[in-house]
Amino acid sequence: MQSGGYATMEDTAAAAKKGGEGGVEVEEGPRFRRVCVFCGSSSGKRSSYRDAAVGLGKELVARKMDLVYGGGSLGLMGEVSEAVHNAGGHVIGSITGETVGEVVAVSGMHQRKAEMARNADAFIALPGGYGTLDELLEVIAWAQLGIHTKPVKFHHLVGLLNVEGYYDFLLAFIDKAVDDGFIRPAQRHIFVSAPHARDLVHKLEVIDVVIFFL
């Protein structure tokens, strides 16, 4: 077990053989009911970004997962929410303006992010700009510091939908921070990435690395 309560893959494998000794457990089956999606209020310049948003929405519905998002009907936010709503899924939008599905009224950005986190069990980032990066890095930092309380045992909590390598530079930056000692190696496993929605959600559900805080 790494200091700070982080379990490496080796820790997890060993604990699984011992029936969960050392505070690490591997669980099977669906782990998340509500997924918060961060993404741009723009659609970007590539059609693949829109396709990824729609595909993610359909994947969530297929797996009977609710969508939590920042509300709004523009850009990728609109695409993913409409995809879930039109497929019969449940949408929870935290916003002061127009959205689809259930509406959670908020007074500002800080409350908006807090409500999104409170209503979600896991987080996925589609391509986006400054706002998306702010939301994404904040939940990663929360997981690093142990601020999240749901679930109590931390599985892969955050996923990057790395459409056509959109997040390659961010991933390279994080690996550099690990190499230079600013991020612990075990903390690199707080999030996972994949180029396609199905693969990413699968990773979030089933990969046997558990991170939790003592």
Side-chain angles (χ1 to χ4, degrees):
M1 176 76 70
Q2 298 286 327
S3 60
Y6 294 92
T8 65
M9 290 183 180
E10 291 79 8
D11 294 329
T12 302
K17 292 179 180 179
K18 296 178 181 179
E21 290 181 10
V24 180
E25 297 179 5
V26 177
E27 297 181 353
E28 298 181 355
R31 292 172 176 171
F32 309 117
R33 295 288 302 276
R34 291 178 173 178
V35 176
C36 179
V37 175
F38 304 132
C39 56
S41 57
S42 168
S43 295
K45 293 184 177 181
R46 299 186 183 186
S47 61
S48 57
Y49 299 150
R50 176 190 175 278
D51 293 341
V54 173
L56 176 59
K58 292 179 178 179
E59 186 66 23
L60 295 181
V61 174
R63 292 175 180 265
K64 302 185 186 306
M65 296 176 178
D66 297 343
L67 168 68
V68 177
Y69 83 122
S73 57
L74 300 177
L76 298 186
M77 289 198 297
E79 296 290 353
V80 67
S81 62
E82 287 290 343
V84 173
H85 183 70
N86 292 339
H90 185 57
V91 178
I92 303 172
S94 299
I95 194 174
T96 57
E98 180 182 352
T99 185
V100 299
E102 181 181 342
V103 177
V104 178
V106 295
S107 59
M109 289 299 294
H110 291 295
Q111 186 186 0
R112 178 192 186 198
K113 290 190 288 185
E115 283 296 319
M116 290 164 66
R118 185 181 67 82
N119 283 304
D121 302 314
F123 305 85
I124 289 177
L126 281 159
Y130 288 137
T132 301
L133 287 175
D134 171 55
E135 293 166 333
L136 169 64
L137 294 177
E138 184 167 50
V139 296
I140 291 175
W142 286 352
Q144 178 188 18
L145 297 171
I147 292 174
H148 286 301
T149 59
K150 299 183 301 183
V152 175
K153 292 184 286 292
F154 283 80
H155 304 279
H156 281 309
L157 186 68
V158 184
L160 297 181
L161 191 51
N162 193 20
V163 183
E164 294 191 3
Y166 184 81
Y167 282 114
D168 282 354
F169 288 110
L170 176 62
L171 294 170
F173 164 76
I174 293 172
D175 287 338
K176 174 66 172 175
V178 172
D179 290 342
D180 286 0
F182 291 102
I183 297 175
R184 294 174 182 171
Q187 294 169 353
R188 176 60 176 81
H189 301 299
I190 290 173
F191 68 93
V192 292
S193 64
H196 304 293
R198 179 173 297 178
D199 295 336
L200 182 61
V201 177
H202 178 74
K203 282 186 175 183
L204 286 168
E205 282 198 299
V206 304
I207 287 183
D208 295 331
V209 177
V210 183
I211 304 172
F212 68 107
F213 303 85
L214 301 177

